[in-house]
């Protein structure tokens, strides 16, 4: 089994786990909307939402890292295997995008403070047992607990207004921080993917350079052998020319001897 197939199966497993966690997160967000005004229930729902959201974020980061490694292995495949895993890669990318959108869709719910959860449920946190308002309302009254500093004119305590404003500012800062962390995480994953793709490209180019070097070494050996054969051929050609020259000289000498013999014989007569 190839490394690409192993990464493909691991991606399927991680996607299934992340989808199950996202479904739990969505169910917890829906349940938090109807939790009521009980303080313990509100804080429990808030803690559960944050825990599930952080778990989904961690699983999403692992899934993105595994997908980047799968893409790197995909570049090393060839032929039919590459086409098959290219289709798997497209399906993984689409599913990863959908899961990321679902997780990001629950960011606002996970970032809500217990006070906002109580407000969304239709009321504020449950007052302490035995507490009474300055206007005489009991536990079942329509008003929340009044402090002694609140007058009969119905104005709220400035400290409570300041606390609410501080809670809103903290919640806004928390959302901005989580959004910045999400952006930084995406940039980090993109950078890691780019680095892995660059490493795969460098490894492939290194292999090509090694093959080219081996071919050049073989060509150099062939050229060296061809040079030796050419020198031997030139030596044989020079030797053949010398032999031909001596053969021609001998033939000429024989012809001269024959001619001289004929002339001598003619002169004797």
């Amino acid at each position: 089994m190839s490394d690409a197939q192993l990464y493909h199966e691991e991606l399927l497993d991680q996607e299934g786990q992340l989808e199950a966690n996202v479904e739990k997160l969505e169910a917890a967000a829906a349940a938090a909307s109807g939790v009521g005004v009980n303080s313990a229930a509100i804080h429990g729902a808030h803690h559960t939402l944050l825990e599930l959201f952080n778990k989904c974020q961690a699983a999403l980061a692992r899934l993105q890292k595994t997908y980047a490694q799968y893409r790197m292995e995909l570049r090393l495949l060839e032929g039919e295997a590459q086409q098959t895993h290219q289709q798997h890669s497209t399906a993984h990318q689409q599913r990863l995008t959908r899961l990321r959108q679902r997780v990001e869709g629950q960011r606002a719910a996970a970032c809500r403070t217990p006070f906002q959860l109580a407000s969304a449920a239709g009321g504020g946190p449950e007052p302490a047992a035995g507490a009474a308002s300055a206007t005489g309302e009991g536990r079942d009254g329509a008003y929340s607990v009044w402090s002694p500093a609140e007058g009969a004119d119905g104005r709220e305590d400035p400290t409570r207004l300041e606390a609410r404003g501080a809670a809103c500012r903290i919640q806004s800062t928390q959302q901005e921080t989580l959004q910045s962390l999400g952006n930084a995480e995406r940039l980090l994953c993109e950078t890691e993917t780019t680095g892995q793709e660059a490493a795969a490209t460098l490894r492939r180019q290194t292999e090509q350079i090694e093959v080219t070097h081996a071919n050049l070494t073989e060509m150099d050996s062939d050229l060296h052998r061809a040079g030796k054969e050419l020198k031997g051929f030139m030596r044989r050609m020079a030797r053949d020319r010398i032999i031909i020259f001596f053969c021609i000289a001998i033939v000429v000498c024989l012809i001269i001897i024959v001619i001289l013999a004929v002339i001598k014989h003619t002169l004797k007569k």
Side-chain angles (χ1 to χ4, degrees), residues 23-268:
E23 290 176 355
K24 292 179 181 178
L25 176 61
E26 292 172 345
S33 300
V35 73
V37 295
N38 184 272
S39 298
I42 291 172
H43 285 283
H46 179 255
H47 176 73
T48 302
L49 275 175
L50 280 180
E51 184 179 1
L52 288 173
F53 181 75
N54 292 333
K55 184 182 295 185
C56 289
Q57 286 283 78
L60 184 61
R62 289 194 302 270
L63 181 60
Q64 289 174 338
K65 183 176 181 180
T66 305
Y67 178 70
Q69 294 172 343
Y70 177 62
R71 288 290 303 275
M72 184 178 67
E73 291 294 332
L74 182 61
R75 293 175 175 271
L76 303 178
L77 298 177
E78 295 179 355
E80 185 178 355
Q82 187 179 32
Q83 295 178 357
T84 301
H85 283 284
Q86 187 66 43
Q87 296 175 356
H88 292 333
S89 175
T90 303
H92 286 308
Q93 185 177 11
Q94 293 174 354
R95 192 174 183 185
L96 177 60
T97 302
R98 289 195 299 269
L99 290 172
R100 185 189 299 114
Q101 291 175 350
R102 291 175 65 182
V103 173
E104 291 296 327
Q106 299 302 322
R107 181 183 294 275
C111 293
R112 286 186 297 182
T113 62
F115 175 77
Q116 289 176 324
L117 287 176
S119 299
E126 190 177 46
S133 67
T135 58
E137 294 289 337
R139 178 180 177 84
D140 297 331
Y143 303 104
S144 60
V145 178
W146 291 78
S147 68
E150 295 176 354
D153 54 357
R155 290 181 298 176
E156 280 192 277
D157 186 0
T159 57
R160 298 184 68 183
L161 293 175
E162 183 178 356
R164 289 184 181 180
C168 291
R169 290 193 298 272
I170 292 173
Q171 190 268 343
S172 177
T173 304
Q174 184 181 15
Q175 288 183 350
E176 292 176 357
T177 303
L178 289 174
Q179 185 176 3
S180 299
L181 289 175
N183 294 333
E185 184 180 2
R186 284 194 297 271
L187 289 175
L188 181 60
C189 291
E190 292 175 359
T191 303
E192 184 178 3
T193 301
T194 303
Q196 291 175 347
E197 291 177 353
T201 303
L202 288 175
R203 183 168 59 181
R204 186 169 59 253
Q205 291 178 351
T206 302
E207 294 175 354
Q208 293 176 353
I209 291 173
E210 290 176 352
V211 172
T212 304
H213 178 72
N215 293 333
L216 289 175
T217 303
E218 185 177 358
M219 289 176 61
D220 183 68
S221 177
D222 293 339
L223 288 173
H224 185 67
R225 185 169 59 252
K228 287 184 177 180
E229 292 178 357
L230 182 60
K231 288 179 181 179
F233 177 76
M234 294 297 292
R235 285 194 297 267
R236 288 193 300 270
M237 183 180 291
R239 186 178 59 215
D240 292 341
R241 286 181 178 179
I242 293 173
I243 293 173
I244 292 172
F245 173 76
F246 279 108
C247 289
I248 293 174
I250 292 171
V251 171
V252 171
C253 291
L254 290 174
I255 292 173
I256 293 173
I257 292 171
V258 171
I259 292 173
L260 291 175
V262 172
I263 293 173
K264 185 178 181 181
H265 180 69
T266 303
L267 291 175
K268 284 182 179 180

